[in-house]
Amino acid sequence: MHVIDARPLGDAEAAQIDAYWRAANYLSVGQIYLMGNPLLREPLLPEQVKPRLLGHWGTTPGLNLLYAHLSRIIAARDQDLIYVTGPGHGGPGLVANAWLEGTYSETYPRVCMDEPGMGRLFTQFSFPGGIPSHVAPETPGSIHEGGELGYSLSHAYGAALDNPDLVVACVIGDGEAETGPLAASWHSNKFLDPVDDGAVLPILHLNGYKIANPTVLARIGDDELTALLTGYGHKPYLVQGDDPAEVHQRLAATMDVVFDEIAAIQHAARLDGTAGRPRWPMIVLRTPKGWTGPKEVDGLPVEGTWRAHQVPLSAARNDPGHLALLQEWMQSYRPEELFDELGAPARSVVDWLPRGDRRISANPHTNGGRSPHELELPDYRIHAVKAFEPAEATRVLGGWLRDVLTANDAHHNFRIVGPDETESNRLGAVLDVTDKAWQAPIATVDEHLGPHGRVMEILSEHTCQGWLEGYLLTGRHGLFSCYEAFVHIVDSMVNQHAKWLRTIRHLDWRRPVPSLNYLLTSHVWRQDHNGASHQDPGFIDHVMNKKAEVVRVYLPPDANTLLSVADHCLRSRNYVNVIVAGKQPAPTWLDIDDAALHCARGLGIWDWASNDAGDPHVVLAAAGDVPTMEILAATDLLRRHLPDLKVRVVNVVDLMRLQPEAEHPHGLPDAEFDAIFTTDRPVIFAYHGYPWLIHRLTYRRTGHANLHVRGFKENGTTTTPFDMLVLNDMDRFRLVIDVIDRVPGLARRAAVLRQQMVDKRAEHRSYVRSTGEDLPEVRDWTWPTA
Amino acid sequence: MHVIDARPLGDAEAAQIDAYWRAANYLSVGQIYLMGNPLLREPLLPEQVKPRLLGHWGTTPGLNLLYAHLSRIIAARDQDLIYVTGPGHGGPGLVANAWLEGTYSETYPRVCMDEPGMGRLFTQFSFPGGIPSHVAPETPGSIHEGGELGYSLSHAYGAALDNPDLVVACVIGDGEAETGPLAASWHSNKFLDPVDDGAVLPILHLNGYKIANPTVLARIGDDELTALLTGYGHKPYLVQGDDPAEVHQRLAATMDVVFDEIAAIQHAARLDGTAGRPRWPMIVLRTPKGWTGPKEVDGLPVEGTWRAHQVPLSAARNDPGHLALLQEWMQSYRPEELFDELGAPARSVVDWLPRGDRRISANPHTNGGRSPHELELPDYRIHAVKAFEPAEATRVLGGWLRDVLTANDAHHNFRIVGPDETESNRLGAVLDVTDKAWQAPIATVDEHLGPHGRVMEILSEHTCQGWLEGYLLTGRHGLFSCYEAFVHIVDSMVNQHAKWLRTIRHLDWRRPVPSLNYLLTSHVWRQDHNGASHQDPGFIDHVMNKKAEVVRVYLPPDANTLLSVADHCLRSRNYVNVIVAGKQPAPTWLDIDDAALHCARGLGIWDWASNDAGDPHVVLAAAGDVPTMEILAATDLLRRHLPDLKVRVVNVVDLMRLQPEAEHPHGLPDAEFDAIFTTDRPVIFAYHGYPWLIHRLTYRRTGHANLHVRGFKENGTTTTPFDMLVLNDMDRFRLVIDVIDRVPGLARRAAVLRQQMVDKRAEHRSYVRSTGEDLPEVRDWTWPTA
């Protein structure tokens, strides 16, 4: 690793930075411990210590140190910079800095810049009715919670994309560095365009310990660590020490070199036209965990060990010895030098900081973007497929997405991410107008790769998700296209993002962010060829556990409805939108006007397929493209064989419509629901995923007891598409049997048809096992009027 | 990277290996394409080509090449070796090799070693009623499906643990290498003990392309790649080429060196006592994707590009040009030299292979272990807590787990894994008798680290899960302790493992494997201090979507029931067991005999807390430790204020008991369910997780409409434990209100009590916001008879 030996700080500047750092540390400790006597102008009393001591000290002094030195760089260079902190449990540090910069009081006027304000700043932390212990949405300047580790670096890259003037400084804890998502995201530097994108400055903070263990990267030795970081494609600089005065000099010197190098790389790429992937600089910062905190407590070493991770003096309220140590510790920062008479930061401590929206905590990129552009959405109707014509839904969507890319080309505000699946998912038309981002060498056989591409593919769902989250949280727009089964890989990430969205909805100063849009395709019913590992529709269930105000699920039954749904989702903000749609050739059921109307309603009766004249014997409902096909095929069979049976066909695009109004903003009023589904007729419901979700959603509806749901029941393997349906009892023949078994009085009258259906299923099994193909009548079926 | 230039193969041996490789390639192609004419003794006809061409050719020749060369090593050294193939989509390759080794026909006699058998081998592949396209449980010699990429290397390490004579060769595709879980798992080498564990030989297969893109690692250049792999702690050897004769020599030479080096490392550690972490060798194999396949199809390059990924001649059945190319391609392997008159492998092709259970496809490690030991489970009763005494449930469990470690010490067959949380989860007693595995340097302040430790901690849930899966699938036992919220990180991995377990239950030749046991603690109700990101009980819902025959969920309400449940789970096989239990001090409700009985029943009436005399006005039910506490506290309030109200208290440990018998093997018969829950009285059910799951499970029960479920409804933040309950309407006061509102006729009589409860909730909110603590009466409450 490179080590810079210069001492660029004059005495005054060094003292200034150190004073600022001490102030941030003081305010961090105060948040963890105190609920009174914030300036320690009186001796500390036990009742001024919080009864429950929560928060994480260990990482905090390092985060504060970097905040101070990054602020120096911003001030010196008028640098646009945001700060992503992987160890988000260092929340008190980020709050402390925001308060010192004045942003906190601007955002929350009650927490003003004086002694009472400081008192509130301290008390509110990790306190009921107060603020969370982590770097939460409540923290000005944050786009990254960090409660769940692993996503800091991919978030940082997402934020840097298409922000050419921005540097995203990203602290990666050495604990976080052990996670899979973080380990994968180092390779993001192969996708960052030095011309059109900003820069990411990774700062690996080796403080040596996790909760109870040393970290791997702190114990592999400098040679292996250098090799590893070089292997990741970086030029690593090492800053280490435990003497603040020395570390200030080294860190300042290294920051100067590193920011020069970033500028030189960008200059070369942008003005000299230098091509190829730069080796971006990064910093390894090795400082003690819990630096400047208690060296020893109760006879055990604390500073520099895992014992500094959370609250080093755990008995400060009850143990006079701990209380005295706490007072000593806080006074070691010399608060009397740092805060004025009123309790505001002393002018000399803060007067060198960046101003206005150059302050890290006030950077607009962290709150909806510096100059966000609404996404321009061209008319999707020109991609309409004629009713009853076959189409591959995602391929049609790809045509419109190409237009979206073109329409927004000038704004650089739209990206498509996916794990090597854009073409497999038949969205390839987008590559007519852009490339797949690629900074590494390109071979002659390669297609559609280029340094400025707006499609981003890496075989890591985690990295795709992290990039997109970072991009959205800084005010831009995007789509994640993914195999349905493997989107479970990011279950935990979408949890965290949904929690973030839920919180910002209730913070009036937070600007809404564009929705996180999933296109899940290559779905369970058409992964017959890849087998059980590729068959799982459970992501819908997973997102349904998140807050109703945040989550939307759409199951467009054909190409035209997919266009309409995608248009709607890309216009929306603050949601997680899940769209499930097939990529195989399938009929188009609705013309584009009907499709738009149907999607606007979210669900509805398909009169053209119904013969119930307002009073059905049975309702056949579907949600999902394959279920819709089967319901219609079953309806066709019923109408041919039992023409006097009155069948109503209902289709559901917006799954949330099934819920009562009280439970979801999209919920259909009970009266409308009852009018569509009836209150007393059997409803045979074919659903794309696990059947119990439909029961859950319709649980409080009047006719719920009449609902019979078919769906995926985990019977999967390598087989044919129709065999997947038969294995899971959702094929058209089985649905006809369901109708016969459930419509009162039909069993006897339709006994022959019922037996025919049983025979058909047997015929299918036999045919498919001998030929490897589905019965022609099943493959070729189309709606009679088509 | 190191390159070995020797040419160790004599002409005869080189010819032998090449013939074997050609045979494996031939059989792989045959599986993808043919359903007749397997030996191509007649000209190939269109109808002999499968109508649906499925499978993945691209990775297969590389996997076959390695199979051949690993077999050479096994035969030469009598090496115990298993083979994990990350690119599991190369399924036809593994099946082909198993057939050549004879194992396939031994396992599936219908697929015999002659022409008809070969015909069946071909037809069955990716065919309805046949076998999956990936390396599935159906494949002899496999422990790794590889349908979802990322887990090969952690599986390999898990298999190698405690198998000192075993080498696990692990192919990592360069696509898979981009995933987070794989990227993290390289560091597993810091946890592998050269004395007590076997070795892992990672083989990074750089075939250059994914589905539609080049791979990152194939384009970073040899210098960076060398740095990266060195940084991972390996000594990398490069083998590259596209001339088979040359590659055979280089690969054989490199294998010789590498296996010598592994032996030398083990010798040094075991016999010379050399301490410290070895730099294990690894191989980088750079060969063309789809090597030996069609060079060009329809004018476009195929071999060596992403176009070779799946089926290079996609129209072989319909396009005579493709058909001719297919025949030419298959005949290029010279089948007439490879198979005898009857269609069996020619003797010279296979007579050099390892024999018996040294064959890769017959290695017993891949089917329950070479010499598995049942886990010895000492009596947990000696850890019993007295009824009504407070205990930290997981700490009590830790004491018993310590005994389990001791009892099985000689067998080396039990491991505990977790992401840096064993002590945080209060299982620290296990460290009295073992260490945390650690091969890197150890500092003086470190505690409980050692090279032979049986506790494995890395801050990667993915790696923990992968290690444990590999360990279990090779016949050993273990436990994964994890923060409840973050176990979602492995949602997708548990999906795949559950599918594996489901499949092996139906393969009579597969031995049952010890269950995958989760201990989820630091759970939603007691992550009040860490805030919303740490609060998520949804993993239960996630696993509930898997097959009922595979999944079990336990919610022991106290320390004694936790002991009993853990004992039960560690004895079981072929399940995914999820245990959710708290780590905070809490009352112990049942003495150890009652606990054992209660757990055996799975749910039951707690007579000691009930006063219903067989005919309750209301049933108060709970599942989970915190819900149980609240239900009992509510019962206490009701009995004090409404002594004539007859309350029945029901507790549920085994969540599966709630389901009907028809839906789950643990399901309670309806008559019993009705006897316990009644059919017509209100049931107030306090549940640990999202409430709708209880509705789903009890959906078909008679009294379901009377069920009112309280649970977590995603209202989380940093606050106090009791405030978490109030925020989610599951506190004792709210439960009393629920009873008053739902028992007919009670509303008027209990109006005063109801208002008191409303006031209590308001008092709580006010108290907690001013003091930061819960009301003393809530903190100190214990059951009256305690």
Side-chain angles (χ1 to χ4, degrees):
Chain A
M1 281 182 282
H2 302 265
V3 174
I4 305 299
D5 262 341
R7 300 180 64 87
L9 302 177
D11 288 351
E13 199 182 5
Q16 218 167 24
I17 288 182
D18 188 64
Y20 179 85
W21 182 46
R22 285 186 283 121
N25 286 340
Y26 180 87
L27 294 169
S28 302
V29 180
Q31 288 176 74
I32 295 174
Y33 288 94
L34 299 192
M35 56 191 292
N37 196 5
L39 286 161
L40 290 181
R41 289 185 177 160
E42 319 277 328
L44 189 58
L45 301 173
E47 61 266 29
Q48 291 160 347
V49 175
K50 296 182 185 182
R52 302 178 76 223
L53 295 174
L54 309 178
H56 296 78
W57 165 246
T59 188
T60 302
L63 298 185
N64 288 342
L65 181 80
L66 289 163
Y67 207 108
H69 282 264
L70 291 167
S71 292
R72 170 180 166 269
I73 291 286
I74 296 168
R77 299 170 185 236
D78 193 30
Q79 176 67 55
D80 196 8
L81 183 144
I82 68 172
Y83 184 42
V84 171
T85 51
H89 44 281
L94 279 288
V95 170
N97 284 285
W99 191 80
L100 287 170
E101 291 189 305
T103 319
Y104 208 89
S105 305
E106 293 163 19
T107 312
Y108 304 105
R110 242 179 58 85
V111 188
C112 40
M113 297 188 75
D114 55 18
E115 181 166 4
M118 192 190 296
R120 290 185 198 110
L121 182 78
F122 287 3
T123 303
Q124 69 171 6
F125 175 76
S126 275
F127 204 84
I131 64 167
S133 65
H134 288 65
V135 183
E138 288 88 343
T139 315
S142 66
I143 60 164
H144 176 82
E145 211 254 9
E148 181 170 306
L149 300 173
Y151 318 130
S152 60
L153 193 55
S154 55
H155 281 171
Y157 276 95
L161 295 171
D162 293 319
N163 275 325
D165 298 329
L166 181 67
V167 173
V168 185
C170 177
V171 186
I172 299 148
D174 47 357
E176 178 174 25
E178 294 177 18
T179 67
L182 197 290
S185 62
W186 287 105
H187 290 298
S188 300
N189 55 22
K190 281 87 197 175
F191 299 85
L192 191 80
D193 178 5
V195 176
D196 289 340
D197 299 329
V200 172
L201 173 62
I203 303 170
L204 178 63
H205 188 199
L206 287 185
N207 72 18
Y209 288 94
K210 297 170 285 192
I211 302 180
N213 285 292
T215 60
V216 170
L217 294 190
R219 294 287 173 95
I220 62 174
D222 276 3
D223 287 352
E224 270 186 25
L225 185 61
T226 304
L228 184 66
L229 301 173
T230 308
Y232 284 142
H234 280 292
K235 180 173 176 189
Y237 288 85
L238 175 66
V239 177
Q240 64 181 340
D242 57 8
D243 172 353
E246 289 306 307
V247 173
H248 282 312
Q249 292 289 353
R250 288 176 205 150
L251 184 53
T254 307
M255 287 267 184
D256 286 344
V257 169
V258 154
F259 278 84
D260 284 349
E261 219 165 280
I262 289 171
I265 287 170
Q266 292 178 333
H267 189 280
R270 295 172 189 181
L271 299 175
D272 308 339
T274 305
R277 170 168 61 90
R279 269 50 171 180
W280 295 95
M282 66 165 291
I283 295 174
V284 175
L285 176 67
R286 183 182 277 135
T287 55
K289 185 155 183 154
W291 194 17
T292 70
K295 298 243 179 300
E296 204 180 287
V297 178
D298 301 333
L300 293 169
V302 172
E303 190 196 48
T305 81
W306 73 95
R307 293 191 191 90
H309 182 68
Q310 289 190 311
V311 177
L313 297 162
S314 55
R317 188 169 162 117
N318 304 314
D319 177 329
H322 279 208
L323 185 71
L325 274 175
L326 172 60
Q327 173 147 345
E328 191 184 309
W329 172 16
M330 292 192 70
Q331 276 170 338
S332 76
Y333 299 119
R334 307 194 297 280
E336 65 283 2
E337 298 175 9
L338 306 175
F339 305 103
D340 67 17
E341 197 58 27
L342 297 172
R347 182 175 298 185
S348 64
V349 170
V350 293
D351 64 359
W352 59 277
L353 291 174
R355 305 294 164 99
D357 68 11
R358 281 286 184 248
R359 293 172 295 178
I360 290 173
S361 56
N363 192 304
H365 285 297
T366 64
N367 188 14
R370 186 170 286 279
S371 53
H373 287 280
E374 284 296 321
L375 197 60
E376 296 190 17
L377 292 177
D379 188 1
Y380 60 81
R381 286 162 192 263
I382 64 170
H383 297 276
V385 180
K386 276 195 194 149
F388 297 106
E389 278 195 2
E392 296 156 295
T394 56
R395 197 182 296 282
V396 174
L397 179 69
W400 180 65
L401 289 173
R402 178 189 57 210
D403 296 353
V404 174
L405 282 162
T406 303
N408 295 280
D409 191 42
H411 303 317
H412 287 211
N413 63 342
F414 182 63
R415 296 256 182 177
I416 296 171
V417 302
D420 190 29
E421 293 165 3
T422 303
E423 280 158 298
S424 168
N425 290 335
R426 307 194 182 170
L427 302 173
V430 298
L431 300 176
D432 296 349
V433 297
T434 190
D435 287 327
K436 293 178 284 192
W438 191 256
Q439 308 300 326
I442 296 175
T444 49
V445 296
D446 293 337
E447 291 183 352
H448 303 306
L449 300 181
H452 314 305
R454 310 198 65 72
V455 173
M456 304 196 62
E457 298 202 332
I458 187 170
L459 214 168
S460 163
E461 285 81 358
H462 293 112
T463 307
C464 291
Q465 172 90 12
W467 285 343
L468 183 55
E469 287 179 358
Y471 199 65
L472 301 174
L473 289 167
T474 47
R476 285 81 58 80
H477 309 262
L479 178 76
F480 184 174
S481 114
C482 192
Y483 277 33
E484 183 187 40
F486 301 141
V487 73
H488 271 302
I489 290 170
V490 297
D491 273 5
S492 211
M493 294 184 80
V494 72
N495 270 354
Q496 300 298 341
H497 190 75
K499 287 174 191 226
W500 184 280
L501 291 181
R502 169 206 153 198
T503 304
I504 68 170
R505 295 179 83 87
H506 302 278
L507 293 172
D508 56 9
W509 62 274
R510 278 273 180 194
R511 284 193 268 177
V513 297
S515 297
L516 172 56
N517 300 306
Y518 291 100
L519 173 67
L520 305 186
T521 180
S522 305
H523 64 53
V524 54
W525 299 106
R526 300 307 296 265
Q527 281 294 308
D528 44 281
H529 59 297
N530 273 322
S533 61
H534 288 54
Q535 296 158 353
D536 190 303
F539 187 69
I540 298 174
D541 302 78
H542 178 71
V543 299
M544 288 298 299
N545 276 344
K546 301 300 110 195
K547 278 279 182 187
E549 59 189 336
V550 169
V551 170
R552 305 285 180 271
V553 179
Y554 300 95
L555 294 150
D558 67 5
N560 287 340
T561 47
L562 174 60
L563 285 170
S564 170
V565 162
D567 177 79
H568 176 76
C569 291
L570 285 178
R571 286 178 198 281
S572 73
R573 287 179 178 262
N574 280 358
Y575 295 134
V576 175
N577 293 311
V578 180
I579 309 172
V580 187
K583 68 183 185 184
Q584 303 292 339
T588 306
W589 305 112
L590 303 180
D591 70 26
I592 196 70
D593 292 324
D594 285 348
L597 187 61
H598 184 52
C599 293
R601 287 177 176 152
L603 61 76
I605 299 171
W606 280 4
D607 284 323
W608 54 270
S610 308
N611 67 340
D612 64 313
D615 184 21
H617 295 113
V618 63
V619 176
L620 290 183
D625 53 359
V626 168
T628 298
M629 163 80 99
E630 289 311 297
I631 281 291
L632 289 170
T635 302
D636 178 25
L637 284 164
L638 289 166
R639 287 173 65 166
R640 279 192 281 127
H641 294 276
L642 300 169
D644 57 345
L645 183 78
K646 292 191 288 180
V647 177
R648 172 179 294 176
V649 173
V650 172
N651 188 271
V652 180
V653 179
D654 175 354
L655 214 53
M656 304 297 117
R657 296 292 272 166
L658 294 176
Q659 294 184 86
E661 276 177 297
E663 298 189 3
H664 196 283
H666 285 197
L668 203 65
D670 276 333
E672 286 181 51
F673 188 94
D674 293 349
I676 290 170
F677 286 95
T678 80
T679 57
D680 56 354
R681 303 305 152 87
V683 179
I684 312 295
F685 198 123
Y687 168 55
H688 172 82
Y690 296 107
W692 32 83
L693 181 62
I694 302 300
H695 286 296
R696 169 180 159 189
L697 296 175
T698 58
Y699 178 64
R700 294 181 195 278
R701 301 296 194 176
T702 317
H704 175 231
N706 309 313
L707 194 65
H708 180 66
V709 186
R710 294 293 185 183
F712 184 64
K713 45 187 188 183
E714 203 66 15
N715 288 332
T717 184
T718 310
T719 187
T720 62
F722 194 75
D723 201 40
M724 285 292 295
L725 292 162
V726 174
L727 288 172
N728 290 283
D729 288 324
M730 202 178 75
D731 60 285
R732 56 198 67 181
F733 308 128
R734 178 73 235 184
L735 295 170
V736 168
I737 294 171
D738 286 341
V739 169
I740 294 170
D741 290 350
R742 275 171 181 79
V743 173
L746 201 57
R748 195 180 314 168
R749 196 155 66 81
V752 173
L753 177 61
R754 193 182 192 288
Q755 188 56 46
Q756 283 174 354
M757 296 296 102
V758 171
D759 294 345
K760 268 290 170 208
R761 284 165 59 88
E763 182 190 344
H764 153 78
R765 290 315 299 267
S766 153
Y767 184 88
V768 80
R769 278 161 181 266
S770 63
T771 65
E773 290 189 290
D774 286 323
L775 288 165
E777 66 182 274
V778 165
R779 271 182 277 155
D780 303 339
W781 179 86
T782 51
W783 183 252
T785 60
Chain B
M1 281 182 282
H2 302 265
V3 174
I4 306 298
D5 262 340
R7 300 180 65 86
L9 302 177
D11 288 352
E13 200 183 5
Q16 220 166 22
I17 287 181
D18 188 64
Y20 178 85
W21 182 47
R22 284 186 283 123
N25 286 341
Y26 180 87
L27 294 168
S28 302
V29 180
Q31 289 176 73
I32 295 174
Y33 289 93
L34 298 193
M35 57 191 292
N37 195 5
L39 286 160
L40 291 182
R41 289 185 178 159
E42 319 276 328
L44 189 58
L45 301 173
E47 60 268 30
Q48 292 160 345
V49 175
K50 298 182 186 182
R52 301 179 77 223
L53 295 175
L54 309 179
H56 297 78
W57 165 246
T59 188
T60 303
L63 298 185
N64 289 342
L65 181 79
L66 289 164
Y67 206 108
H69 282 263
L70 291 166
S71 292
R72 170 181 167 270
I73 290 287
I74 296 168
R77 300 170 185 237
D78 192 30
Q79 176 67 57
D80 196 8
L81 183 144
I82 69 172
Y83 183 44
V84 171
T85 50
H89 45 281
L94 278 288
V95 170
N97 284 284
W99 191 81
L100 286 170
E101 291 189 305
T103 319
Y104 208 89
S105 304
E106 293 162 20
T107 311
Y108 304 104
R110 242 178 59 84
V111 187
C112 41
M113 296 188 74
D114 55 17
E115 181 166 3
M118 194 191 292
R120 291 185 197 110
L121 182 79
F122 287 4
T123 303
Q124 69 170 7
F125 175 77
S126 274
F127 203 85
I131 64 166
S133 65
H134 288 65
V135 184
E138 288 88 343
T139 315
S142 65
I143 60 164
H144 176 83
E145 210 254 9
E148 182 169 305
L149 300 172
Y151 319 130
S152 59
L153 193 55
S154 56
H155 282 170
Y157 276 95
L161 295 172
D162 293 320
N163 276 325
D165 298 328
L166 182 67
V167 173
V168 185
C170 178
V171 186
I172 300 147
D174 47 357
E176 177 173 25
E178 294 176 18
T179 68
L182 197 292
S185 63
W186 287 105
H187 290 297
S188 300
N189 56 20
K190 281 85 196 177
F191 299 85
L192 191 80
D193 178 6
V195 176
D196 289 341
D197 299 330
V200 172
L201 173 61
I203 303 169
L204 178 63
H205 188 199
L206 287 185
N207 73 18
Y209 288 93
K210 296 169 286 190
I211 301 181
N213 285 292
T215 61
V216 170
L217 294 191
R219 295 287 173 95
I220 62 175
D222 277 2
D223 288 351
E224 269 186 24
L225 184 61
T226 305
L228 183 65
L229 301 174
T230 308
Y232 285 144
H234 281 292
K235 181 174 174 188
Y237 288 86
L238 175 66
V239 176
Q240 65 181 342
D242 58 6
D243 172 353
E246 288 306 307
V247 173
H248 283 311
Q249 293 289 355
R250 286 175 206 151
L251 184 53
T254 306
M255 286 267 184
D256 286 344
V257 168
V258 153
F259 277 84
D260 285 348
E261 217 166 283
I262 289 171
I265 287 170
Q266 292 178 333
H267 188 281
R270 294 172 190 181
L271 299 175
D272 308 340
T274 305
R277 171 168 61 91
R279 269 50 171 181
W280 297 95
M282 67 164 290
I283 295 174
V284 175
L285 176 67
R286 183 182 278 134
T287 54
K289 186 156 184 153
W291 195 18
T292 72
K295 299 244 179 296
E296 205 180 286
V297 178
D298 302 332
L300 292 170
V302 172
E303 190 197 49
T305 81
W306 73 94
R307 293 191 192 91
H309 182 69
Q310 291 190 307
V311 177
L313 297 162
S314 55
R317 190 171 160 115
N318 304 316
D319 176 330
H322 279 209
L323 186 71
L325 274 175
L326 172 60
Q327 173 148 344
E328 189 185 309
W329 172 16
M330 291 190 72
Q331 276 171 338
S332 76
Y333 299 120
R334 307 194 297 280
E336 64 285 2
E337 298 175 10
L338 306 175
F339 305 102
D340 67 17
E341 197 56 28
L342 296 171
R347 184 175 297 185
S348 63
V349 171
V350 293
D351 64 359
W352 60 277
L353 291 173
R355 302 295 162 96
D357 68 10
R358 281 287 185 249
R359 293 172 294 178
I360 289 173
S361 57
N363 192 305
H365 284 298
T366 63
N367 189 13
R370 187 172 283 282
S371 53
H373 287 280
E374 283 295 322
L375 197 60
E376 295 189 18
L377 292 177
D379 187 2
Y380 60 80
R381 285 160 193 265
I382 63 171
H383 298 277
V385 180
K386 278 196 192 145
F388 298 107
E389 280 196 0
E392 295 157 296
T394 56
R395 196 181 296 281
V396 174
L397 179 69
W400 179 67
L401 289 172
R402 178 189 56 208
D403 297 353
V404 174
L405 282 162
T406 303
N408 295 280
D409 191 42
H411 303 318
H412 285 211
N413 63 342
F414 182 63
R415 297 256 182 175
I416 296 171
V417 303
D420 190 31
E421 293 165 4
T422 303
E423 280 159 298
S424 168
N425 290 335
R426 306 195 183 170
L427 302 174
V430 300
L431 300 175
D432 296 347
V433 298
T434 190
D435 287 328
K436 294 178 282 192
W438 191 256
Q439 308 299 325
I442 295 175
T444 50
V445 298
D446 292 340
E447 291 182 353
H448 304 305
L449 300 182
H452 314 305
R454 310 199 66 71
V455 172
M456 305 196 61
E457 298 202 330
I458 187 171
L459 213 167
S460 163
E461 286 80 359
H462 293 110
T463 307
C464 291
Q465 171 91 11
W467 285 343
L468 183 56
E469 288 179 357
Y471 199 64
L472 301 173
L473 289 167
T474 48
R476 286 81 57 79
H477 309 261
L479 179 75
F480 184 175
S481 112
C482 192
Y483 277 34
E484 182 187 42
F486 301 142
V487 74
H488 271 302
I489 291 169
V490 297
D491 273 4
S492 210
M493 295 183 79
V494 72
N495 270 354
Q496 300 298 340
H497 190 75
K499 287 173 192 227
W500 184 280
L501 292 180
R502 169 206 153 198
T503 304
I504 68 169
R505 295 180 84 87
H506 301 280
L507 293 173
D508 56 9
W509 62 273
R510 278 273 182 194
R511 285 193 267 175
V513 298
S515 297
L516 172 56
N517 300 305
Y518 290 101
L519 174 66
L520 305 186
T521 181
S522 305
H523 65 52
V524 54
W525 299 107
R526 300 306 296 264
Q527 282 291 310
D528 43 281
H529 58 298
N530 272 321
S533 62
H534 288 54
Q535 297 158 354
D536 190 302
F539 188 68
I540 299 174
D541 302 77
H542 178 71
V543 298
M544 288 298 299
N545 276 345
K546 300 302 108 192
K547 277 279 182 187
E549 59 189 337
V550 169
V551 170
R552 305 286 180 269
V553 179
Y554 299 96
L555 295 150
D558 65 7
N560 287 340
T561 47
L562 175 59
L563 285 170
S564 171
V565 161
D567 177 79
H568 175 77
C569 291
L570 285 178
R571 286 177 197 282
S572 73
R573 286 177 179 264
N574 279 0
Y575 296 134
V576 175
N577 293 310
V578 179
I579 308 171
V580 186
K583 68 182 185 184
Q584 302 292 339
T588 307
W589 305 113
L590 302 180
D591 71 26
I592 196 71
D593 292 323
D594 286 348
L597 187 62
H598 184 52
C599 293
R601 288 178 176 151
L603 60 76
I605 299 170
W606 280 4
D607 283 324
W608 55 270
S610 307
N611 67 339
D612 64 313
D615 184 22
H617 295 112
V618 63
V619 176
L620 290 183
D625 53 358
V626 167
T628 299
M629 163 78 101
E630 289 311 298
I631 282 290
L632 288 170
T635 302
D636 178 26
L637 284 164
L638 288 166
R639 287 173 65 168
R640 280 193 279 126
H641 293 277
L642 299 170
D644 57 343
L645 184 76
K646 292 190 290 180
V647 176
R648 173 178 292 176
V649 173
V650 172
N651 189 271
V652 180
V653 178
D654 174 354
L655 214 53
M656 304 296 117
R657 297 293 272 165
L658 294 176
Q659 295 184 85
E661 277 177 296
E663 298 189 2
H664 195 283
H666 285 197
L668 203 65
D670 276 334
E672 286 181 50
F673 188 94
D674 292 350
I676 289 170
F677 286 95
T678 80
T679 56
D680 56 355
R681 303 305 151 88
V683 179
I684 312 296
F685 198 124
Y687 169 55
H688 172 83
Y690 296 107
W692 31 83
L693 181 63
I694 301 301
H695 286 296
R696 169 181 159 188
L697 296 175
T698 58
Y699 177 63
R700 295 180 196 281
R701 302 295 194 176
T702 317
H704 175 231
N706 309 312
L707 194 65
H708 180 66
V709 187
R710 294 293 186 182
F712 185 64
K713 45 186 189 182
E714 204 67 13
N715 288 331
T717 184
T718 309
T719 185
T720 64
F722 194 75
D723 201 41
M724 285 292 295
L725 292 162
V726 174
L727 288 172
N728 290 282
D729 287 324
M730 201 177 76
D731 59 286
R732 56 198 66 180
F733 308 127
R734 178 73 237 184
L735 295 171
V736 168
I737 294 171
D738 285 341
V739 169
I740 294 170
D741 290 350
R742 273 168 184 81
V743 173
L746 201 58
R748 195 180 312 168
R749 197 155 64 82
V752 173
L753 178 60
R754 194 183 191 288
Q755 188 56 46
Q756 283 172 355
M757 297 296 103
V758 171
D759 294 344
K760 268 290 167 207
R761 285 164 59 87
E763 182 188 343
H764 153 78
R765 291 312 302 267
S766 152
Y767 185 88
V768 80
R769 279 163 180 265
S770 63
T771 67
E773 289 189 291
D774 287 323
L775 288 166
E777 67 184 272
V778 165
R779 273 183 277 155
D780 303 340
W781 179 85
T782 52
W783 182 250
T785 63

